[in-house]
C-alpha cells in the first residue's frame, strides 16, 4: 500500500502525542517512530528574545514540503509521515515544526526525519524574524544548514 | 506576470505583490532583477546584493539564469530560515 504524507502549514499549535497516535494507532506494521520537534528558544546568540514571527509563502510552502516528502517516501521504506510547520508569532517554548516518521525499523525512520529537517531548513519558504528589547530583525540563514542538506545529495 | 516578495525583500520593496510587464529583452531571473532594480530606490535597495536573493517560478526554486517566459508567478526572497 502506498503511503501518503500528511502535510499541514498552520498558525495553530499542534499536539505531538496526538500526531504520533494518528500515525500508529491500530497498526502492527510500524516498528519505529521518530519525531523531531523544533521549539522556539528563549535566546539567540546569548540575547533574550520575546518571540519569533514566521512568514511563509502560501502555496509554495505546501508544494516544496510535498516534493521533499515524496522524495523521503521514495528513498526510505516508511509506513507513515507527518510534517507540520507553523507560521505567525511564536513565543519561547512553543512548537515551530514537527516531523514524524514511522517505519518497520528505526534506521529508515531516523534517516528520513534527519533528511526532511535538513531540507525544511534550507528549502522550505519560511523566514524567521526575532523580537527582542532592541527591536525586530530577520534571522540570517546559516551556512552549516546548507552543508547539512548537501549530505543527502547523491554524488 | 505576478511578482511576489517575502521577508526583508518585501519590506524593502514596500509591497507584497504586484503585476508587471517587463520588456521583451528581459528573459531571465537575473534580467528581471536588473529591470526591477531600475524602477526606483526601494527596488534598488531590495536587490542591492543580487547574489543573496533567491527566486521561485510558479512555486519552484530556480537559478538566476532561469528563463522567465511563460511564468505566471515569480517570487523573490532571502535565503530561507524555517525549520
Amino acid at each position: 500500500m502506498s503511503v501518503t504524507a500528511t502535510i499541514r502549514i498552520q498558525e495553530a499549535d499542534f499536539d505531538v502525542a496526538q500526531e504520533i497516535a494518528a500515525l500508529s494507532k491500530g497498526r502492527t506494521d510500524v516498528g519505529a517512530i521518530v519525531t523531531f520537534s523544533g521549539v522556539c528558544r528563549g535566546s539567540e546568540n546569548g540575547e533574550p528574545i520575546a518571540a519569533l514571527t514566521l512568514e511563509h509563502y502560501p502555496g509554495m510552502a505546501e508544494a516544496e514540503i510535498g516534493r521533499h516528502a515524496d522524495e523521503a517516501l521514495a528513498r526510505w521504506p516508511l509506513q507513515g509521515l507527518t510534517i507540520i510547520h507553523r507560521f505567525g508569532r511564536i513565543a519561547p517554548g512553543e512548537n515551530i515544526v514537527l516531523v514524524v516518521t514511522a517505519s518497520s525499523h528505526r534506521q529508515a525512520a531516523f534517516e528520513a526525519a534527519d533528511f526532511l529537517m535538513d531540507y525544511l531548513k534550507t528549502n522550505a519558504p519560511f523566514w524567521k524574524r526575532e523580537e527582542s528589547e532592541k527591536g525586530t530583525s530577520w534571522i540570517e540563514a546559516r551556512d552549516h544548514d546548507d552543508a547539512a542538506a548537501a549530505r543527502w545529495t547523491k554524488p | 506576470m505576478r511578482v511576489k516578495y517575502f521577508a526583508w525583500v518585501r519590506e524593502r520593496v514596500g509591497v507584497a505583490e504586484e503585476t508587471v510587464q517587463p520588456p521583451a529583452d528581459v528573459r531571465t531571473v537575473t534580467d528581471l532583477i536588473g529591470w526591477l532594480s531600475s524602477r526606483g530606490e526601494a527596488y534598488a535597495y531590495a536587490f542591492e546584493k543580487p547574489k543573496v536573493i533567491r527566486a521561485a517560478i510558479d512555486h519552484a526554486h530556480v537559478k538566476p539564469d532561469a528563463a522567465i517566459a511563460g511564468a505566471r508567478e515569480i517570487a523573490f526572497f532571502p535565503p530561507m530560515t524555517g525549520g
Side-chain angles (χ1 to χ4, degrees):
Chain A
M1 196 184 86
S2 68
V3 173
T4 307
T6 297
I7 296 165
R8 300 209 305 270
I9 315 289
Q10 62 188 43
E11 192 158 14
D13 198 5
F14 49 81
D15 182 321
V16 179
Q18 197 177 311
E19 299 303 332
I20 294 171
L23 274 193
S24 58
K25 198 176 174 191
R27 301 182 64 155
T28 54
D29 56 338
V30 170
I33 295 168
V34 166
T35 69
F36 174 83
S37 307
V39 179
C40 179
R41 279 187 297 270
S43 66
E44 195 68 28
N45 302 318
E47 299 282 328
I49 68 161
L52 289 178
T53 299
L54 274 101
E55 178 171 331
H56 77 300
Y57 182 175
M60 182 175 172
E62 289 83 351
E64 191 62 27
I65 292 175
R67 280 191 279 272
H68 288 109
D70 288 345
E71 191 178 341
L73 291 169
R75 286 177 72 164
W76 288 278
L78 300 179
Q79 256 99 47
L81 173 59
T82 298
I83 302 169
I84 303 173
H85 205 308
R86 292 181 67 195
F87 61 88
R89 193 170 184 273
I90 295 175
E94 282 187 41
N95 294 314
I96 300 172
V97 63
L98 177 71
V99 171
V100 187
T101 55
S103 187
S104 296
H105 301 284
R106 72 178 185 279
Q107 191 181 359
F110 271 125
E111 286 183 6
D114 202 10
F115 162 86
L116 284 164
M117 278 313 304
D118 283 342
Y119 274 94
L120 282 175
K121 285 225 159 247
T122 54
N123 281 30
F126 289 81
W127 300 272
K128 289 192 187 108
R129 196 175 53 192
E130 65 182 28
E131 286 173 40
S132 70
E133 288 177 353
K134 294 175 186 166
T136 67
S137 60
W138 292 97
I139 291 182
E140 281 190 41
R142 294 180 168 125
D143 289 342
H144 70 74
D145 287 331
D146 286 328
R151 291 182 298 151
W152 303 99
T153 308
K154 285 176 185 167
Chain B
M1 64 184 66
R2 185 160 52 196
V3 183
K4 290 192 171 195
Y5 310 100
F6 292 94
W8 55 255
V9 177
R10 171 181 51 73
E11 290 179 341
R12 289 182 180 192
V13 169
V15 296
E17 66 174 271
E18 61 186 327
T19 300
V20 300
Q21 282 186 310
D25 63 344
V26 173
R27 294 188 181 90
T28 66
V29 168
T30 297
D31 293 345
L32 183 58
I33 287 176
W35 180 73
L36 288 168
S37 297
S38 71
R39 296 172 81 212
E41 274 181 28
Y43 292 92
Y45 177 43
F47 293 110
E48 66 180 355
K49 290 179 186 161
K51 280 186 180 170
V52 305
I53 304 291
R54 305 293 172 91
I57 293 181
D58 295 333
H59 294 170
H61 292 290
V62 292
K63 298 228 161 68
D65 62 357
I68 62 170
R72 291 186 306 277
E73 183 172 297
I74 301 188
F76 292 105
F77 41 76
M80 289 67 68
T81 54

